Amino acid sequence: MSHSTRPATEFTPSGQLQLGVFFQGVNSGTVWKAAESGSQTDFESFRRIAQTAERGLFAAFFLGEGLRLREHLGRPHALDVAGRPDAQTALAALAAVTTNIGLVATQNTTYNDPADLAHRLSTLDLLSSGRAAWNIVTTDNAWTGANFRRGGYLDHADRYTHAEAFVETAKRIWDAWDEDAIATSASSARWSAEGAARRVRHNGRHYTVDVVPRLPRSAQYRPVLFQAGDSPEGRDFAARQADVIFSAHPQLDDALDFRRDIVERTLRAGRGANDVKIMPASEFILAATPQEALEKKAWVRSLQIGPQQAIAYLEQFWGRELQGYDPDGPLPDIDPVVEETSETRGSGFHGAKARQLADQWRAEAKEKGLSIRQFVSAKTSRGDSTFTGSYTEVADRLAEYARTGAVDGFNISPWLIPTGLDDIVNHLVPELQERGVYPTQYAGSTLRENLGLAAPVRADAGNEPGPVTSLDKGSVTGSVTSPATA
């Protein structure tokens, strides 16, 4: 595999789109009570979605991370996240029943250790023949940390500093094996070449690593790196480290602005203008005609936010029981009992001033004439990220994204499990292929190839190789320390 040389300084649209699928589990975007709904946790649901996506030539199957159940009024939130098993375990099982689709594991830099996580991701990458990816996330709250015997030891301001050191270390671990390290013949004297693996040391502010990586490279060199942070710090982090951004900017004008911003940041980071792909989160509600699609959307919304979900949503902010209120009536006239919401309700609520927000919401609902249920449905709607329409009109809209280069694809959150991709694969994908903006076959066998990503530049490129590490004897006889990068 060759390496990138001179980075491109101007962005050039590929004219192509890729699709990914995000198995989100139970939340406000999931229809889990309808007769059509299947299990959110059975392997059969994961298998069917992944294989349907692969039939539609999707680039990636994406799993989120749930390190702790959200709570509701001091108890586990019975209407929220389920269906988020350990990502790497689930993806390893899916690797055995799929052939081409990429397998993206969301993994936290705060509650893992870089040598261990790099090894487990390498394992998934080898098991899947080069289809693994890591969606890098950071968390700093004590509520989640309590599950990891650490509490909130990481300051919010340090989360990306810590994450960057973590990712740099992981990259150096993956880069520590040479490309031709493994014997190609059983008659070879050694399974691994002398000096083919280097020792990696990191002695930094948050952890110390001294490791000889245990696995050679995969068919795609190392796992593809996704990142989803949208703050200025998150965007800079992605521009320096990521291959793909899982963004929140699906509307065309907003997506074009986001692309321009990321290209500028990527160039400032010394990378090429096309080096970072962008795939915004999105929801598709499709039908044969525009009118049928609108009727379907109304049905979906009524099931995503029923009476229970509407009241529970307000209770999260009010911090008290609101079961006596009519979901089809006005917002509660009593005040929240908390001054500020906390992370125990999920990251989306962190830092919201409850009383101030309640006043704003009451005024907004009154002005618009919305009931509790209508208001919550509007607040939780993915309107900005939802594509609603007939197959042909949505395909025409998406072709414009490909032509302008606003995005490189979309990461779809199906609202129904396990059949939520059927209409997309059966009807939308052929329409996109007819317009020449979607692949008609997988470009290669690895995720990196299928996303059109360049080969990584080695984190230790230019360094002198270290003295011999004789792996077949099970001991390290010499080493070189790679330069600290954080």
Side-chain angles (χ1 to χ4, degrees):
M1 183 176 284
S2 61
H3 301 296
S4 300
T5 52
R6 182 176 300 172
T9 56
E10 292 189 11
F11 174 74
T12 305
S14 69
Q16 291 285 297
L17 296 176
Q18 300 285 344
L19 294 178
V21 55
F22 173 41
F23 192 116
Q24 58 185 327
V26 174
N27 61 23
S28 60
T30 308
V31 172
W32 57 272
K33 292 186 72 173
E36 297 87 345
S37 303
S39 169
Q40 302 291 321
T41 55
D42 285 354
F43 179 70
E44 175 62 14
S45 295
F46 295 93
R47 180 201 66 76
R48 179 162 175 179
I49 286 285
Q51 290 185 338
T52 301
E54 192 166 67
R55 180 165 61 83
L57 304 177
F58 278 40
F61 178 93
F62 197 106
L63 278 179
E65 183 182 56
L67 295 179
R68 182 164 180 161
L69 281 179
R70 290 174 186 159
E71 295 176 6
H72 180 71
L73 302 181
R75 55 185 182 271
H77 194 344
L79 299 173
D80 210 289
V81 173
R84 288 190 176 178
D86 173 68
Q88 291 186 61
T89 304
L91 294 174
L94 290 173
V97 296
T98 56
T99 304
N100 293 294
I101 194 167
L103 304 166
V104 188
T106 299
Q107 300 283 276
N108 206 296
T109 54
T110 308
Y111 304 112
N112 281 289
D113 291 303
D116 176 59
L117 182 60
H119 179 70
R120 287 187 281 120
L121 288 168
S122 285
T123 302
L124 180 63
D125 212 15
L126 287 168
L127 287 175
S128 63
S129 301
R131 294 188 283 136
W134 172 20
N135 178 40
I136 305 162
V137 294
T138 65
T139 299
D140 53 70
N141 65 69
W143 175 69
T144 302
N147 271 9
F148 297 87
R149 65 176 166 75
R150 294 174 175 172
Y153 75 101
L154 182 62
D155 289 340
H156 186 70
D158 290 341
R159 66 195 192 286
Y160 281 117
T161 304
H162 174 272
E164 192 127 22
F166 191 115
V167 173
E168 289 283 358
T169 303
K171 284 183 173 179
R172 287 169 51 209
I173 290 171
W174 291 324
D175 290 344
W177 280 68
D178 288 337
E179 292 184 39
D180 53 355
I182 306 305
T184 57
S185 169
S187 62
S188 298
R190 296 176 182 273
W191 181 74
S192 63
E194 293 278 353
R198 281 169 289 280
R199 193 168 197 152
V200 175
R201 286 179 173 144
H202 171 89
N203 186 8
R205 179 178 167 193
H206 298 287
Y207 51 81
T208 298
V209 169
D210 182 349
V211 59
V212 177
R214 290 169 282 172
L215 288 171
R217 295 177 188 173
S218 74
Q220 65 170 352
Y221 190 103
R222 68 185 183 212
V224 172
L225 301 184
F226 283 65
Q227 201 271 340
D230 196 33
S231 66
E233 295 83 3
R235 294 185 187 196
D236 279 335
F237 175 78
R240 289 191 296 268
Q241 301 292 352
D243 299 304
V244 186
I245 295 179
F246 180 19
S247 86
H249 301 275
Q251 291 298 303
L252 185 59
D253 289 345
D254 191 24
L256 285 167
D257 288 342
F258 185 73
R259 167 71 79 184
R260 283 189 282 270
D261 183 66
I262 293 301
V263 168
E264 290 173 2
R265 292 173 191 267
T266 304
L267 292 173
R268 287 201 297 271
R271 302 177 68 191
N274 286 69
D275 281 5
V276 179
K277 306 293 184 184
I278 299 174
M279 297 180 69
S282 54
E283 177 191 59
F284 286 75
I285 301 178
L286 308 173
T289 68
Q291 182 58 37
E292 288 178 46
L294 288 175
E295 293 170 358
K296 190 174 181 179
K297 182 178 180 179
W299 174 76
V300 170
R301 292 286 183 259
S302 71
L303 292 171
Q304 287 173 327
I305 302 297
Q308 284 178 293
Q309 287 90 348
I311 294 296
Y313 183 82
L314 292 191
E315 287 177 338
Q316 295 283 79
F317 289 92
W318 260 254
R320 62 197 305 171
E321 298 279 355
L322 298 173
Q323 296 300 317
Y325 283 84
D326 180 0
D328 295 317
L331 267 62
D333 51 3
I334 57 175
D335 282 334
V337 296
V338 291
E339 182 62 32
E340 185 171 332
T341 55
S342 76
E343 63 272 12
T344 64
R345 303 170 186 189
S347 58
F349 302 101
H350 183 63
K353 300 287 186 181
R355 289 177 183 162
Q356 179 182 343
L357 201 64
D359 288 340
Q360 293 173 357
W361 284 4
R362 280 190 287 250
E364 182 181 344
K366 184 177 181 181
E367 179 184 351
K368 296 179 179 177
L370 299 177
S371 67
I372 287 176
R373 189 170 173 181
Q374 291 168 327
F375 181 80
V376 173
S377 181
K379 278 295 171 190
T380 57
S381 171
R382 302 180 177 188
D384 289 345
S385 60
T386 299
F387 291 86
T388 304
S390 69
Y391 305 116
T392 55
E393 65 181 7
V394 170
D396 287 340
R397 287 176 61 192
L398 298 188
E400 185 68 2
Y401 284 78
R403 185 189 68 76
T404 59
V407 302
D408 297 287
F410 295 91
N411 205 16
I412 299 171
S413 300
W415 41 267
L416 191 64
I417 294 297
T419 59
L421 290 183
D422 290 1
D423 57 352
I424 295 170
V425 169
N426 294 339
H427 300 290
L428 180 63
V429 164
E431 294 278 357
L432 295 173
Q433 289 171 328
E434 284 183 11
R435 288 159 179 75
V437 299
Y438 192 78
T440 55
Q441 61 182 1
Y442 279 105
S445 61
T446 70
L447 176 58
R448 192 173 297 279
E449 290 173 308
N450 291 326
L451 288 173
L453 292 166
V457 176
R458 284 181 61 161
D460 62 350
N463 291 338
E464 290 295 322
V468 173
T469 300
S470 183
L471 297 178
D472 54 351
K473 294 180 179 177
S475 62
V476 177
T477 57
S479 67
V480 65
T481 303
S482 299
T485 55

